[in-house]
Structure formats: C-alpha cells, structure tokens
Amino acid sequence: MNKKPLEAIIVGGGHRSLTYAGLAELEPDMLRITGVADPDEFRRKSIAKRFNIPENRCFSSAEELAAVPKFADAVINGTMDHIHVSTAIPLLKAGYDMLLEKPFAVNEEEARLLVKTANEYGRKIMVCFVLRYAPFYQRIKDVIISDKIGEILNIQTNEYVSYHHMSTSHVRGKWNNSDRCHSSMLLAKCCHDLDIMMWLMGETKPSYISSFGYDTQFVKENAPENSGNRCLVDCPLVDTCLYSAKRLYIDHPDRWKVYVWDKLEHLENPTIEDKINLLKTSPYGVCAYKSDNNVVDHQTVSVFFENGATGTHNMVGGASKGTRTITITGTKGMIWGDFEEGKFTVSLINPAPGCEHDDTEYDMHINDDSHGGGDLALVKDFIAYCKDESTTPSCTSINDSLAGHLAVFLADKSMAENGIPQKVIL
C-alpha cells in the first residue's frame, strides 16, 4: 500500500472544492494540497495561505497551470459547470488525474468528448456524486445487492427543493438562467438523483427517457399586488412576502452565506449594513417573481430500462421542506425512505401465516455534512482510486457516470419536444 499522501491542486476555489480539500487538514497523511488555480486574486491568495502553497504554485487559470511541468498527482476541479470540460481537458493531457464536480459536462457532445479524452490519455476521473457515498444510499445499495427484494421492477425518486433553496440557487442565483450557467434545472439540481437511479439499477441500462416540466410559480404574473422590483429598495411587502430577501437572508444571514455574501468575502467581518447594501444591487435582492430566471420549477422524468423495469424522478421546487425520498419495488419486497430523516424501511413478502410482510427500519442519519456524510468518504475513495487500491461500490469513474448524465440531457430534450421519448445510446 502506498502510504505517501496524494498531492492535489485546487482548480476553482469555490465552496465544493474547499470542502473536498478539507480532508488535507483533517488527515494530512492522506491528502496534501500543493497548488491552486483561480482567476480571483483574493480567493487564490486566501487558499494559498490556508494550505501553505508557495507563490510559484498559484495560477490564474487551468491553462496556465497545464503549461508548467506536472508537480502533483491530481486536480480537484470545482469550476463552474459550463467550464468543467474546457478546464479538464488540458489538465488531463498534462498528466493529472481528477476529482471533478458534478455535472461533469453540460451537454451530450461535451460529455462524450471528456470520456473519450480521459480514456485516450489513460487518466482517472472521479465525478463528485457524493450521494453515492451517503450511508443512506450505500445501505440501500447493499440491500439490493443482497437480493433481499429480488429483481427491481420500479424505482421512484423524488427531490423536493425547499422554497429558500429554490429561490436562492435557481430563481435568483448562479443556476437561475440556462443561457448564463449553461445548466438546466434538472442538470444542476437532479443529476445526483438520476445518477443514484442508474447506480441502484446496476448493470441494467436505460433504453428510453421522456419528460415534462414547467415554471409555474416564479413568473411576473404571480408577483404580489403592489410588489416592487427589489426587496430592500422599493417593495412595501419586504416584511411579509414568502420570498422577501430580508426574511431569507438578513433575518437568517448564515443559511446561504457561501452564495449570497460572496461579494463580501474580502471583508473579515461584514456587518448587517454591508449585507443590506449588497442586497440592494445583487441578484439575491431581486423580486423572486421578477428575476430573469428561465428554468423550470417542477419536472417529471420517466425511464424505461432494457429489462422492462421502469423508473420515475420528480423534481418539485418551492416545497416547504427540502428532502429526497425513494421507493423501490422488487419481486420479493420493497424499500422506501426519506433521505433528510436518514431512515428507510425494507418490507419483504411473507405469505405465512396470513399474507403478511416483514418490515425492518434502518436509521442511517448522519450530521457531518450536507450530503448525509458522503463528502469526505468520496475524497478517500478518490485517493484509493488514484493509487490503484481497493475502492467501494460507490466509486464514480467517468465511465460509470455517463448513463446518469445522458438521462438528464435526454430528459431535457424530451421536455422541449413535449414529452417525446428519447432513445439512450451508451
């Protein structure tokens, strides 16, 4: 076993990259951060200070990094979705393996190009589908592998995006407009869920995808009477509206701080007044009904698998409570559970004595992080993957991740074509 820590470079120093890089501080014998590439000078310098990175290993872009001789084993690529492929390819060619944030591409052409490049150059890419590493889903996978519920006939997954998450990320924030972020709502929010569905189905591949979706809530026609254009500038409903920026971000200033206050990160201790002033001009202070969002707030995806099994995924934005739920029906039993609660039930057919069923509840609740305990487990598996050591069944190589991405791309194509089924070609 190679006991030397994996040396990695942060490319795109956002919240997700730093979460993964945090393992270097917790377990320095496993991971060392030896470089950074980010166009933002303040962020680049703060990361260099945090991880003790010398100035000659700090770069303003992935291309600049790729132009110097290779000095680490791998890259943690947490750039924005639409530049994942353009930043990944030169670094793969430069010899780096890669931990790559999801989604790994924003369209089918890019996805296939990245897979092709990784395979041609013999590079390892693990996609950050951290839900595969959450104990909740890992234990469900174990139950399926054990054949307790038999062959899967139907799998249903649902994601309910809370009203404050929906308004922050997909109505006002980074992923509210596909023309800018190049990601649909389904790709940005639910590629996790389609990946989970494909992973739980194992070797059974999808054959056809269809989908319907619409933006019903967050449109100008639904704006409250007498509402303004900016919550903290000209709106008399600032203290009563469900989506008031004051109620969501000033009254709860830490809930979405990594998104809403990103322009204040140069201030050591920004005040409430600083935050109020920022909201008067930032996208997060725009009326939720009058923003330039163009993504759907609910969508249903139907999947037909090659063995005749079926699957559905429902995304509903603006829910009172954010959670994911799952129901799997097999030939011998069922599984149903709630990810937020961390609990699921396995119900097995038992004909004796009177057409009964035997139920067992599993409690897998984890409080360690926002992905049910999966973040750092994923990084540890990536390190093992790079070192050619044994990995878990959750391992998300670029080839493993293609089916879930194609399901998203084809679902969005089907939705644009009024639900016409799309054939999956892997």
Side-chain angles (χ1 to χ4, degrees):
M1 181 180 294
N2 181 0
K3 293 185 178 181
K4 181 183 176 183
L6 187 83
E7 295 189 349
I9 303 163
I10 296 172
V11 175
H15 173 61
R16 296 308 302 159
S17 292
L18 293 178
T19 296
Y20 302 133
L23 183 68
E25 296 167 317
L26 296 172
E27 301 195 41
D29 58 326
M30 295 188 70
L31 179 67
R32 283 184 59 208
I33 303 301
T34 60
V36 59
D38 193 290
D40 186 286
E41 183 179 8
F42 175 82
R43 187 172 297 167
R44 191 167 62 244
K45 288 184 176 180
S46 66
I47 291 171
K49 181 179 179 181
R50 175 176 169 180
F51 293 101
N52 196 29
I53 300 169
E55 187 175 349
N56 67 342
R57 292 191 172 180
C58 297
F59 306 88
S60 61
S61 68
E63 291 76 16
E64 186 180 328
L65 167 61
V68 304
K70 179 174 178 278
F71 61 85
D73 304 302
V75 162
I76 299 173
N77 188 337
T79 57
M80 286 297 290
D81 299 349
H82 65 285
I83 59 172
H84 282 173
V85 174
S86 62
T87 54
I89 286 179
L91 294 171
L92 296 174
K93 292 180 177 179
Y96 294 102
D97 293 327
M98 186 172 295
L99 182 63
L100 179 58
E101 185 55 276
K102 64 81 189 169
F104 71 71
V106 296
N107 57 58
E108 181 176 349
E109 181 181 11
E110 276 195 349
R112 293 191 185 279
L113 174 62
L114 189 58
V115 172
K116 180 174 180 287
T117 302
N119 291 332
E120 278 185 0
Y121 283 82
R123 304 292 177 246
K124 297 173 179 176
I125 302 179
M126 178 178 281
V127 183
C128 296
F129 279 125
V130 297
L131 289 190
R132 289 196 189 190
Y133 290 85
F136 177 85
Y137 290 111
Q138 285 186 321
R139 192 70 184 93
I140 288 176
K141 178 72 170 179
D142 290 342
V143 172
I144 291 170
I145 291 173
S146 73
D147 196 41
K148 283 185 178 179
I149 66 166
E151 183 179 355
I152 295 176
L153 302 172
N154 177 264
I155 182 167
Q156 302 172 37
T157 59
N158 303 284
E159 180 169 10
Y160 302 96
V161 186
S162 74
Y163 63 97
H164 50 89
H165 190 167
M166 182 73 191
S167 61
T168 300
S169 296
H170 305 287
V171 176
R172 291 167 164 144
K174 294 180 181 179
W175 297 278
N176 80 324
N177 189 299
S178 59
D179 296 332
R180 278 197 303 273
C181 71
H182 305 278
S183 287
S184 68
M185 178 70 187
L186 193 68
L187 183 62
K189 194 73 194 76
C190 299
C191 61
H192 272 307
D193 304 275
L194 273 298
D195 176 75
I196 285 289
M197 183 185 293
M198 301 306 155
W199 178 57
L200 294 179
M201 289 299 296
E203 296 301 314
T204 304
K205 304 303 181 186
S207 293
Y208 289 92
I209 309 284
S210 65
S211 183
F212 291 93
Y214 200 64
D215 181 14
T216 300
Q217 301 179 69
F218 303 100
V219 293
K220 291 181 175 63
E221 292 78 9
N222 288 340
E225 188 176 355
N226 300 321
S227 61
N229 292 313
R230 282 191 165 273
C231 301
L232 291 159
V233 175
D234 62 357
C235 187
L237 309 177
V238 67
D239 291 313
T240 57
C241 179
L242 285 177
Y243 292 97
S244 161
K246 175 182 177 294
R247 297 178 75 186
L248 294 179
Y249 311 129
I250 298 301
D251 294 349
H252 301 279
D254 294 330
R255 178 179 287 155
W256 293 103
K257 61 183 179 181
V258 296
Y259 297 134
V260 180
W261 313 129
D262 61 333
K263 301 302 181 185
L264 299 176
E265 64 182 0
H266 63 288
L267 300 178
E268 186 174 351
N269 293 299
T271 65
I272 288 296
E273 289 72 25
D274 291 328
K275 294 173 181 179
I276 290 172
N277 288 331
L278 178 61
L279 286 177
K280 289 179 179 179
T281 58
S282 86
Y284 297 102
V286 172
C287 174
Y289 301 96
K290 299 175 184 179
S291 75
D292 64 348
N293 63 301
N294 68 353
V295 298
V296 299
D297 62 23
H298 62 285
Q299 185 172 353
T300 296
V301 180
S302 297
V303 184
F304 180 75
F305 290 92
E306 60 187 8
N307 68 344
T310 53
T312 58
H313 175 67
N314 294 297
M315 182 285 297
V316 184
S320 59
K321 174 186 176 183
T323 193
R324 287 177 162 95
T325 64
I326 189 167
T327 302
I328 307 169
T329 304
T331 54
K332 299 178 183 178
M334 298 175 64
I335 300 171
W336 65 84
D338 185 311
F339 176 72
E340 190 75 13
E341 294 180 356
K343 297 178 181 179
F344 68 90
T345 298
V346 177
S347 181
L348 303 180
I349 295 172
N350 183 1
C355 295
E356 302 295 338
H357 54 89
D358 296 330
D359 295 353
T360 303
E361 184 178 82
Y362 295 79
D363 188 342
M364 309 301 297
H365 191 65
I366 300 291
N367 292 314
D368 290 351
D369 59 46
S370 61
H371 293 102
D375 285 335
L376 298 186
L378 178 144
V379 183
K380 291 177 181 179
D381 218 19
F382 173 66
I383 293 170
Y385 181 44
C386 289
K387 293 184 174 182
D388 293 319
E389 296 171 359
S390 177
T391 59
T392 74
S394 301
C395 184
T396 54
S397 78
I398 193 74
N399 295 298
D400 298 326
S401 300
L402 182 60
H405 276 66
L406 290 180
V408 174
F409 300 141
L410 295 175
D412 283 336
K413 183 178 180 182
S414 172
M415 182 176 67
E417 297 179 0
N418 297 314
I420 293 176
Q422 308 291 319
K423 184 172 178 57
V424 181
I425 301 174
L426 288 167

